[in-house]
């Protein structure tokens, strides 16, 4: 059996080749790369032609992120499964270092630190060819902004780490491309197909709920591109009730703080960023009913709502001036 299967969902961005290259060049491991074309039009096929052995899956219909990852997992054969977005890259030792951490801790889920880098800077990797690939990738990751700002404490549960906001500056995040999980679990626990946002958190919480052991490697092993073209998880997506109600059952056995903070600070703020102030207020009220949001999360939501209202006011003023002109 393959050591590691790497599932890459894509809509055909030019950075896909770099993501695939980084997955195939993991030091000391046999890696199976599975590219799931979620574009519905075979957009990734031409990009993959110059590359080596890659398993390409094209269903011919557009797929949401969760469905694409579940499909990739179903076709995987690895002892372990990693996920990689098509605009991110692995460090050459990423999977190997995570496997070592899993062995030491007897963990079935391993995450790591990451570095954020501009999308165009990532794409510049292609100009250097593969002769100095390992060195160039490591240098690129080292030059980026390191995250997460707050790392998990030893034996901390996923829900409390991800969602409890203990300060106004809380920035806790586990990126999908840093995840390495036991292959059997990856194939048994599917991703939520109804979500276009938060599907990674939803999946992690379901692993937490069944008691999957988790360890975090405090070293940046992934380069995460920012400010790239439209992704599979559309940033301007209009959120709906599905995106607000999914955490309630999953967090019912936790203390009320994580659920209240998630609904208020994360989902509520997402509604505000979309310009949906009414949706943001509904999330705050729901958080108060089913959870117990802290004042830090509530303050973050208040700032996001104020910013949304200010943007709306500026937009109206601009429209008024344009009409008069």
């Amino acid at each position: 059996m393959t050591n590691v299967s790497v599932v890459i969902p894509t809509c055909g961005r030019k950075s896909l080749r770099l993501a695939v290259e980084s997955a195939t060049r993991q030091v000391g491991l046999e890696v199976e790369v599975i590219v799931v074309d979620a574009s519905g039009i075979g957009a990734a096929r031409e990009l993959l032609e110059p590359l080596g052995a890659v398993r390409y899956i094209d269903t011919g219909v557009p797929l949401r992120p969760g469905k694409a990852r579940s499909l990739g997992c179903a076709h995987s054969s690895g002892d372990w499964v990693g996920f990689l977005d098509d605009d991110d890259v692995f460090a050459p030792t990423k999977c190997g270092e995570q496997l070592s951490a899993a062995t030491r801790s007897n963990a079935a889920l391993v995450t790591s630190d990451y570095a954020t880098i501009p999308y165009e800077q990532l794409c510049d990797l292609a100009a250097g060819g593969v002769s100095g690939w390992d060195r160039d990738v490591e240098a690129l990751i080292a030059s980026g902004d390191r995250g997460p700002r707050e790392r998990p404490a030893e034996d901390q549960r996923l829900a409390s780490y991800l969602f409890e906001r203990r300060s106004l500056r809380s920035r806790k995040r586990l990126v999908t491309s840093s995840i390495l999980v036991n292959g059997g679990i990856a194939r048994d626990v599917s991703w939520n197909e109804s979500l276009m946002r938060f599907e990674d958190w939803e999946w992690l919480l379901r692993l937490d709920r069944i008691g999957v052991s988790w360890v975090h490697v405090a070293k940046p092993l992934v380069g995460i591109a920012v400010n790239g073209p439209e992704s599979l998880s559309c940033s301007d997506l209009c959120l709906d009730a599905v995106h607000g109600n999914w955490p309630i059952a999953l967090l019912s056995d936790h203390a009320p703080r994580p659920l209240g903070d998630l609904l208020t600070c994360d989902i509520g703020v997402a509604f505000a960023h979309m310009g949906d102030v009414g949706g943001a207020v509904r999330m705050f009220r729901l958080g108060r009913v089913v959870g117990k949001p802290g004042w830090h999360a509530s303050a973050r939501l208040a700032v996001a709502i104020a910013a949304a209202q200010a943007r709306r006011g500026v937009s109206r003023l601009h429209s008024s001036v344009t009409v008069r002109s």
Side-chain angles (χ1 to χ4, degrees):
M1 182 178 279
T2 305
N3 291 129
V4 177
S5 297
V6 178
V7 175
I8 308 177
T10 186
C11 54
R13 287 190 282 195
K14 64 179 182 179
S15 54
L16 172 63
R17 293 180 181 177
L18 300 168
V20 170
E21 188 73 36
S22 75
T24 59
R25 295 176 66 89
Q26 292 297 289
V27 175
L29 295 174
E30 181 184 352
V31 178
E32 171 189 54
V33 178
I34 303 170
V35 174
V36 182
D37 193 331
S39 67
I41 58 173
R45 189 181 300 276
E46 185 176 345
L47 292 169
L48 294 174
E49 286 179 356
L51 304 180
V54 175
R55 186 163 191 179
Y56 177 64
I57 301 172
D58 179 14
T59 62
V61 295
L63 300 179
R64 290 188 170 188
K67 177 63 175 179
R69 294 191 180 106
S70 290
L71 184 61
C73 290
H75 284 82
S76 69
S77 62
D79 297 307
W80 292 81
V81 172
F83 301 99
L84 180 59
D85 289 351
D86 65 356
D87 60 340
D88 300 338
V89 289
F90 287 166
T93 61
K94 187 261 188 188
C95 293
E97 293 196 46
Q98 288 185 303
L99 288 175
S100 295
T103 300
R104 291 193 302 269
S105 303
N106 195 28
L109 171 69
V110 191
T111 55
S112 75
D113 285 4
Y114 54 88
T116 55
I117 50 181
Y119 178 79
E120 290 304 327
Q121 190 175 343
L122 171 72
C123 291
D124 287 344
L125 272 175
V130 297
S131 59
W133 173 269
D134 291 357
R135 180 186 65 254
D136 292 344
V137 171
E138 289 174 341
L140 182 64
I141 292 175
S143 70
D145 293 328
R146 184 170 175 174
R149 296 185 188 176
E150 302 172 56
R151 296 191 185 89
E154 188 174 353
D155 298 326
Q156 186 174 14
R157 291 188 65 176
L158 280 161
S160 64
Y161 167 68
L162 283 172
F163 306 127
E164 287 188 21
R165 306 301 171 190
R166 297 296 181 181
S167 81
L168 290 175
R169 302 173 67 181
S170 288
R171 293 292 190 278
K172 299 183 286 189
R173 186 183 177 201
L174 298 176
V175 298
T176 307
S177 293
S178 79
I179 293 172
L180 189 70
V181 66
N182 174 274
I185 293 173
R187 289 180 279 274
D188 287 344
V189 182
S190 60
W191 292 63
N192 191 320
E193 300 175 11
S194 65
L195 297 177
M196 282 289 288
R197 293 277 296 277
F198 317 121
E199 77 283 349
D200 49 352
W201 283 351
E202 196 270 354
W203 184 77
L204 286 170
L205 282 179
R206 286 197 284 130
L207 297 191
D208 183 55
R209 194 173 179 84
I210 63 176
V212 171
S213 53
W214 165 49
V215 66
H216 183 82
V217 179
K219 179 179 179 180
L221 297 174
V222 185
I224 306 295
V226 293
N227 301 324
E230 183 176 314
S231 68
L232 189 56
S233 297
C234 207
S235 61
D236 59 354
L237 170 76
C238 291
L239 301 178
D240 55 22
V242 172
H243 290 85
N245 295 330
W246 65 266
I248 297 175
L250 288 172
L251 290 170
S252 60
D253 62 341
H254 287 73
R257 180 68 177 269
L259 177 57
D261 279 4
L262 170 58
L263 290 169
T264 300
C265 185
D266 296 292
I267 300 179
V269 167
F271 273 94
H273 286 169
M274 298 296 111
D276 186 352
V277 172
V281 172
R282 286 195 300 274
M283 288 301 101
F284 174 70
R285 290 173 176 168
L286 181 61
R288 294 287 297 273
V289 170
V290 301
K292 190 177 180 181
W295 77 266
H296 303 98
S298 302
R300 289 271 298 279
L301 178 60
V303 170
I305 289 175
Q309 291 173 326
R311 290 194 299 272
R312 183 181 298 177
V314 170
S315 177
R316 288 175 178 172
L317 178 62
H318 182 267
S319 298
S320 175
V321 171
T322 302
V323 170
R324 290 176 183 177
S325 300

